[in-house]
Amino acid sequence: LRNIYIDTMIASYCLFCDKFSHALDEMTLRLLGHIKIRTDHVIAAEIEPPITVEEVIVEDAKGKKKKAKKKKKVKKSDKTMMDSPVEVVAEYCCEDVEYTFKLANYYEYLFSLPENENAYRNYRTIERPLISVLSKMECTGVNLDLRYLSDLKDSFIDLIQAIKNRIDEVAGFELSITKAADISKVIYDQLDLFNKNGIIPKKTKSGRLATNEKVLSKIEHEPFVKDILEVKKLNKLVSTYLKPIPAKVSSHTGKLHCNFLQHITTTTRLASSNPNLQNIPKKTEEGRRIRGAFISRFNGGKIGSFDYSQQELRILAHLCKEPILVETYKRNGDAHKAAASLVYRIPEEAVTPEQRNLTKAIQYALLYGATEDRIAIETGLPIDEAKQLVFDYMSRLTHVAGFMESTYEELRKFGYVETIFGARRYMPKIYSLLKFQREAAKREAFNMKMQGTAAGQMKKAMLSIDNFLQEHKTLMIIQVHDEVVLDFHPDELHLAEEIKNLMQDAVIFDVPMLAEGKLEDNWLLAH
C-alpha cells in the first residue's frame, strides 16, 4: 500500500471521529446527498433462488424404504452477488469507485480549510503513514504454540467440570450456568444468600431477582457464588479465545492474522479484531496464561513487549505545566509521593504509603474521567472524604485545575477538543440542558486530551520503529493499548535498547518519557 493520497475512511475519522459513521454509504449520503445502491438490492430478492436436487430416503405405503429425489431451494441468505445479473453488479461496483473518488475530492477540500489545519496535520503525519505499517503487521501475523493452547483449553474444561460437579452437589440438581432461573432458585430460595449477608437483592426490569455478575459480585465470598463466577469466567475464556483463536490460524502461512483498526475508538487508540487481541484478559491469572501461546517464529528468537511508564501522567505534566510534576519527573522522582506532599501539606519524606496510594488513585481517576462517586469506591473512602480529597488536590495543584478548565472552554467554544497532534473528538453533550450530560462531556474531553495524546505518541513510535526495522529481520507484530510487541530475530536481540530509545524519542515533551520492556520466550513472560 504505497503512495496513498486520500483514504476516505481514515480522512473521515480524522475530521469527524465518532461524530458520524465512516462507512462509504453513510459518508456519501451525509456529505454528497446521494443514496448509493444497497448491497441487499444487488443480491435481489426477486432473483429466483437456484434449485438443487438431492437424494433422500422415504417410506412407501407398505413401509418399505426407498430412494427418492427431492428438490431443494437455496435459502435467500445463501445467495451472493454471483447469483445476480452481471449488469446489476457492474453498476454497483462502478458507483462505489465513482463516489470514493468524489469523497476523496471533497475531503481534500475540507482539509484545505483553515479550521481543519490540525486535523489534516494528524492525517498527513500520523494516520495516513500508519496505514502501511498496520497492513504490514497484519500480513506478518503472529506465531502461536497451538499445542500449548490445546492443553490450556483441556485443563480449563477439566477445571470447569470439577467446579460444576461441586455446584450441582450444592444445588441438588444439574444446574445450568446459563439459566438465570436455576441460579436464582439456589441463591435466593435454597441458600437465601442475600438475606444471610444483609443485602437487599436487586430485580430486573421484568421483576425477576437479578443474577448477573455485578449483582453476584456483592456476595462473591460465598463458596457457591465464587464457583458460579469462576465457571462463567473460564467458560468465557474457552469460548472466546481458546476455541476460536486456533481456528483463525491461516492454513497458508501458519500464522494468526488479526485486523488492526484505525477508525473505531473515540480516543484514537488502535483497535484489533478477528480476533480482538486487546480483550485478552490480563487482570486474572487464567486470562494472562493465554498470552503464553504467542511465541517467536524464529528458531532461538524472542518476544519483546514494550510500553511507557506512567505515560498519561507524564503527558498531563507536560500539558498543564504543573511545576511539582514536571520537576519530579525531570529528577526521576515519585510523582505520586510528590503530589501527596502538596495535597497533605507535609514534606515528601513524611508521606505515608496510604497517603501516596490515595493521591495516586485521585490522579488516575481524574485522567480516566471518573466521577466523585467512582473515586469514593476506588479509594474506599466515604463520599464526603473523597470529595474533600479531590478538592484539596485541585486547589493545591492549580495548574492541573487550570488546564482542565481550559479544556472545558475549548469544548464549549468548538463542540470538540483536539490533542496536540490534531486528533479530534466531538462532544455535543456539552450543550445539553441536562447537567449530568454536560459533566460527562467535560470528563470525556479531559480523558480525550490524555488518552488521545498517548495514542498519538504510540503511533509516532510505531512509525519510527517500522522505519528502523526496514533493514532488519525483527518484526513488529502486535499493538495493544500502550504496549507494542515485537518478534526478535536471534541475531538482533541487542536491538531492544534501540526500540526503547525510539519510543522515548518519538515525541519530545517537557518531561522525559520512560519506555520499559524485556525479551522472553513468549508474550506472557515478556509483559
Side-chain angles (χ1 to χ4, degrees):
L1 294 173
R2 292 179 180 153
N3 303 321
I4 291 176
Y5 182 61
I6 290 282
D7 181 304
T8 53
M9 181 176 285
I10 304 305
S12 177
Y13 182 66
C14 290
L15 287 163
F16 306 119
C17 193
D18 60 335
K19 185 178 182 180
F20 304 133
S21 165
H22 310 297
L24 182 61
D25 288 11
E26 295 287 338
M27 292 189 291
T28 301
L29 176 60
R30 185 175 296 278
L31 299 177
L32 304 179
H34 175 77
I35 301 175
K36 286 181 73 276
I37 301 169
R38 290 173 56 89
T39 306
D40 55 356
H41 290 176
V42 178
I43 308 175
E46 63 268 16
I47 297 174
E48 184 64 27
I51 297 174
T52 60
V53 178
E54 61 179 13
E55 287 190 345
V56 295
I57 305 297
V58 299
E59 291 185 353
D60 60 18
K62 296 180 180 180
K64 291 184 178 180
K65 295 180 179 179
K66 63 176 184 179
K67 289 184 179 180
K69 291 185 177 181
K70 180 183 177 182
K71 292 183 178 180
K72 180 184 177 184
K73 286 188 176 182
V74 177
K75 295 178 183 178
K76 182 181 175 182
S77 60
D78 293 337
K79 292 189 294 181
T80 69
M81 287 191 187
M82 295 294 290
D83 303 309
S84 301
V86 67
E87 59 270 15
V88 174
V89 178
E91 183 182 10
Y92 171 83
C93 293
C94 290
E95 186 187 50
D96 269 6
V97 174
E98 179 185 3
Y99 279 90
T100 298
F101 182 66
K102 287 183 176 181
L103 281 171
N105 289 333
Y106 189 71
Y107 286 135
E108 186 177 13
Y109 160 71
L110 290 180
F111 278 139
S112 69
L113 300 177
E115 60 266 33
N116 293 326
E117 181 181 354
N118 291 336
Y120 181 53
R121 174 166 54 89
N122 179 49
Y123 171 79
R124 187 185 71 254
T125 62
I126 296 180
E127 298 297 349
R128 185 176 63 188
L130 195 65
I131 294 171
S132 61
V133 176
L134 296 179
S135 68
K136 188 186 302 182
M137 290 169 61
E138 290 177 348
C139 293
T140 297
V142 296
N143 194 39
L144 293 178
D145 184 340
L146 296 179
R147 174 62 63 86
Y148 173 92
L149 279 177
S150 178
D151 291 344
L152 187 60
K153 180 190 70 176
D154 292 342
S155 69
F156 281 3
I157 290 174
D158 290 343
L159 182 56
I160 289 169
Q161 189 56 54
I163 300 174
K164 185 68 169 57
N165 291 339
R166 231 170 27 229
I167 290 171
D168 292 346
E169 187 177 347
V170 174
F173 63 93
E174 190 173 342
L175 183 146
S176 174
I177 295 295
T178 58
K179 284 188 177 180
D182 283 7
I183 297 174
S184 178
K185 181 179 178 181
V186 179
I187 289 176
Y188 292 109
D189 300 339
Q190 295 178 206
L191 302 179
D192 199 19
L193 295 180
F194 278 89
N195 283 335
K196 175 184 171 184
N197 286 276
I199 300 173
I200 299 175
K202 287 193 173 183
K203 292 186 177 182
T204 63
K205 292 181 179 179
S206 61
R208 295 179 181 177
L209 292 167
T211 58
N212 58 58
E213 291 187 29
K214 185 176 179 180
V215 169
L216 294 182
S217 65
K218 295 179 180 179
I219 52 170
E220 62 183 352
H221 58 278
E222 293 285 351
F224 180 79
V225 176
K226 185 178 180 181
D227 283 344
I228 291 285
L229 294 175
E230 186 70 11
V231 169
K232 284 178 176 286
K233 178 182 70 177
L234 293 172
N235 271 334
K236 185 175 181 179
L237 292 175
V238 171
S239 62
T240 308
Y241 303 106
L242 296 178
K243 285 184 178 179
I245 286 180
K248 293 181 185 295
V249 172
S250 169
S251 59
H252 300 289
T253 66
K255 305 293 184 290
L256 178 71
H257 303 270
C258 78
N259 299 325
F260 292 101
L261 309 171
Q262 289 174 261
H263 67 291
I264 298 297
T265 67
T266 57
T267 58
T268 72
R269 275 181 168 179
L270 294 176
S272 71
S273 66
N274 197 32
N276 185 350
L277 299 181
Q278 296 190 343
N279 277 3
I280 296 177
K282 60 180 181 180
K283 291 184 179 180
T284 64
E285 180 185 350
E286 294 82 3
R288 286 194 298 270
R289 288 173 65 185
I290 296 173
R291 298 185 177 210
F294 291 72
I295 59 175
S296 175
R297 73 198 60 213
F298 304 116
N299 185 23
K302 296 285 184 181
I303 294 295
S305 172
F306 303 87
D307 59 13
Y308 289 103
S309 173
Q310 297 185 356
Q311 182 187 21
E312 289 171 6
L313 196 56
R314 290 172 186 265
I315 287 171
L316 174 64
H318 167 80
L319 294 178
C320 70
K321 315 297 183 189
E322 180 62 56
I324 188 66
L325 295 178
V326 173
E327 186 273 329
T328 301
Y329 278 126
K330 282 185 174 180
R331 62 177 170 85
N332 198 26
D334 186 333
H336 301 306
K337 183 178 285 189
S341 70
L342 274 185
V343 173
Y344 292 98
R345 295 179 182 272
I346 56 176
E348 192 171 326
E349 57 272 15
V351 172
T352 66
E354 181 184 10
Q355 290 170 330
R356 180 191 181 276
N357 289 336
L358 286 173
T359 305
K360 177 182 177 180
I362 292 294
Q363 295 199 119
Y364 281 113
L366 292 173
L367 287 175
Y368 296 116
T371 63
E372 291 177 337
D373 291 345
R374 185 65 193 171
I375 292 173
I377 294 172
E378 292 288 337
T379 58
L381 294 174
I383 184 66
D384 291 340
E385 290 186 31
K387 286 182 178 180
Q388 184 60 46
L389 192 58
V390 172
F391 176 79
D392 291 342
Y393 180 91
M394 300 301 290
S395 59
R396 310 279 159 71
L397 281 78
T398 55
H399 286 69
V400 174
F403 176 68
M404 292 179 77
E405 188 55 41
S406 67
T407 299
Y408 304 154
E409 285 300 319
E410 177 186 349
L411 179 60
R412 281 189 284 265
K413 182 177 180 180
F414 299 109
Y416 62 80
V417 292
E418 289 183 339
T419 69
I420 59 173
F421 304 112
R424 178 184 297 179
R425 183 184 177 189
Y426 287 85
M427 296 171 205
K429 287 187 294 186
I430 192 62
Y431 305 120
S432 172
L433 296 177
L434 302 175
K435 183 179 178 180
F436 80 92
Q437 288 198 344
R438 295 196 302 273
E439 292 301 316
K442 289 180 179 181
R443 292 192 299 272
E444 290 168 8
F446 187 67
N447 178 244
M448 172 62 184
K449 286 283 189 180
M450 299 302 110
Q451 285 202 27
T453 301
Q457 182 188 20
M458 175 55 77
K459 289 175 179 179
K460 289 185 77 69
M462 291 173 69
L463 292 170
S464 297
I465 293 170
D466 177 73
N467 185 59
F468 172 73
L469 293 178
Q470 297 290 336
E471 305 299 323
H472 296 88
K473 299 173 184 176
T474 295
L475 302 164
M476 186 160 48
I477 54 174
I478 300 172
Q479 200 284 316
V480 176
H481 300 314
D482 60 350
E483 174 190 10
V484 63
V485 182
L486 288 85
D487 189 349
F488 279 81
H489 190 275
D491 297 337
E492 298 177 346
L493 303 183
H494 61 281
L495 296 181
E497 285 303 314
E498 185 62 33
I499 298 299
K500 292 180 188 177
N501 292 335
L502 287 170
M503 291 179 68
Q504 291 170 171
D505 298 338
V507 182
I508 303 302
F509 292 113
D510 290 343
V511 299
M513 299 301 294
L514 179 63
E516 300 175 326
K518 58 181 179 178
L519 308 186
E520 294 289 352
D521 290 335
N522 59 60
W523 190 13
L524 170 65
L525 298 175
H527 184 64

